[in-house]
Amino acid sequence: MALPPLFDRLRLPVIGSPMFIVSGPELVIAQCQAGIVGSFPALNARPQSQLDEWLHQITEGLAAHDRDHPDSPAAPFAVNQIVHRSNPRLEDDMATCAKWRVPLVISSLGAREDVNAGVHGWGGIVLHDIINDRFARKAIEKGADGLIAVATGAGGHAGILSPFALVQEIRAWFDGPLALSGAIANGGAILAAQAMGADLAYIGSAWIATEEANAVPAYKQMVADCMAEDIVYSNLFTGIHGNYLKPSIAAAGLDPDHLPDSDPTQMDFAAKAAGGDAKAWRDIWGCGQGIGAVDAVVPVAARVAQLTAEYQQARARLLGAG
């Protein structure tokens, strides 16, 4: 099954994943102008009224780009919605997205028929992120158009399954849009995701180390300096297992090699354990295992150009080997 026409503007088969705090209008606009899907969590816009301002900024910025570059129009953008019923903003955020006819919605933490129907009502597409085949089936049954398979090694709240196993199981029954997440940070990995059966690569951590990311300089540099062995998988900080940078954990006064488990209801446990006010995402920095491919803080356009060159080189290498 071919991807919907929405994705025809992509110059590289990549979605920049939405990252809490880090993803904002500047990063999204730069990603879309460079030819990949840019995205951000609706909850990053605070207060709620700021979401309208951000969507205006993004929409106008991309329209101006298209007017100035008719031969290379911007890629579409996406808004991530936490659809769990504990999110008190969901109804208002969905109304704001409807006003701006957001082309792509990435839904997380529970598939919902009403959310999918709402997005379809204004002509948008829904991709739902999942960590296993059971959740994937539920998402499609409830009306999602496509899936984001979050495999082991992804930044933030990662899954635990191998991407080989996860994509294999999903493709046994689903032929719709499928993105793969999990330690993808160079062009060869993008091509590998497609070889496994995914349509798109879902990349997050590589964008932290860009000039347009809303991250403090120390966070950006830590991503550039660290390797896969510097990533810790723990549920201490939010109650849900995720991948975090070891040096940021140590800086918060914790021993990254001896972290206790957390009760899923303890959302601020890091502060108590550290004896201070350290919080996940703000002080304990999420990151995926693919960062060994990231060695400098650069503009988004430069990172996309590098990924594109690596992707083309990987394709040529395989074709040459054949």
Side-chain angles (χ1 to χ4, degrees):
M1 178 178 176
L3 285 172
L6 175 71
F7 296 98
D8 289 349
R9 289 186 171 191
L10 268 64
R11 296 193 285 280
L12 190 66
V14 168
I15 296 174
S17 63
M19 294 176 285
F20 189 53
I21 300 177
V22 173
S23 300
E26 293 77 15
L27 180 59
V28 170
I29 291 171
Q31 290 171 326
C32 294
Q33 289 177 341
I36 67 170
V37 175
S39 70
F40 70 96
L43 293 176
N44 276 7
R46 301 184 183 191
Q48 195 280 330
S49 59
Q50 190 177 57
L51 179 60
D52 184 73
E53 299 170 10
W54 281 16
L55 290 176
H56 179 268
Q57 180 181 349
I58 292 169
T59 301
E60 290 300 311
L62 297 184
H65 172 88
D66 290 352
R67 289 193 297 270
D68 295 340
H69 304 85
D71 295 330
S72 57
F77 71 93
V79 174
N80 175 221
Q81 294 283 15
I82 302 300
V83 301
H84 191 271
R85 297 191 185 278
S86 63
N87 177 10
R89 281 183 40 169
L90 179 60
E91 184 176 349
D92 289 339
D93 286 349
M94 284 291 291
T96 305
C97 287
K99 172 185 174 180
W100 291 98
R101 304 178 71 85
V102 170
L104 181 62
V105 168
I106 297 168
S107 57
S108 304
L109 296 182
R112 286 178 52 174
E113 293 179 0
D114 58 331
V115 170
N116 295 333
V119 176
H120 295 158
W122 72 68
I125 289 174
V126 180
L127 301 181
H128 187 70
D129 66 12
I130 53 87
I131 60 171
N132 59 41
D133 184 71
R134 178 168 61 89
F135 290 156
R137 291 176 184 269
K138 286 184 177 181
I140 298 304
E141 288 170 3
K142 293 186 177 182
D145 301 287
L147 299 166
I148 299 167
V150 183
T152 185
H157 292 141
I160 59 173
L161 296 179
S162 161
F164 294 98
L166 188 52
V167 172
Q168 172 181 274
E169 292 182 358
I170 292 170
R171 279 304 190 213
W173 58 272
F174 180 65
D175 66 352
L178 176 61
L180 176 63
S181 171
I184 300 174
N186 65 29
I190 297 170
L191 186 61
Q194 291 184 306
M196 277 190 278
D199 299 296
L200 303 156
Y202 195 71
I203 300 176
S205 301
W207 310 115
I208 300 170
T210 59
E211 294 178 0
E212 295 87 348
N214 183 35
V216 297
Y219 188 3
K220 296 182 181 185
Q221 193 59 48
M222 193 177 291
V223 170
D225 292 342
C226 288
M227 305 288 284
E229 64 182 1
D230 298 308
I231 304 300
V232 176
Y233 190 63
S234 173
N235 72 346
L236 173 61
F237 308 109
T238 68
I240 303 173
H241 275 91
N243 282 316
Y244 304 91
L245 286 160
K246 272 188 180 183
S248 72
I249 297 172
L254 295 163
D255 181 351
D257 296 317
H258 299 90
L259 295 175
D261 287 334
S262 172
D263 184 314
T265 64
Q266 299 298 312
M267 301 305 289
D268 277 332
F269 193 77
K272 299 174 185 177
D277 62 351
K279 293 185 181 296
W281 318 123
R282 188 195 69 185
D283 307 297
I284 310 295
W285 295 330
C287 194
Q289 293 177 0
I291 55 169
V294 179
D295 59 7
V297 179
V298 300
V300 164
R303 180 132 295 143
V304 173
Q306 178 184 354
L307 290 170
T308 301
E310 293 168 348
Y311 178 78
Q312 293 170 344
Q313 289 166 5
R315 285 176 59 92
R317 184 169 62 249
L318 290 180
L319 289 172

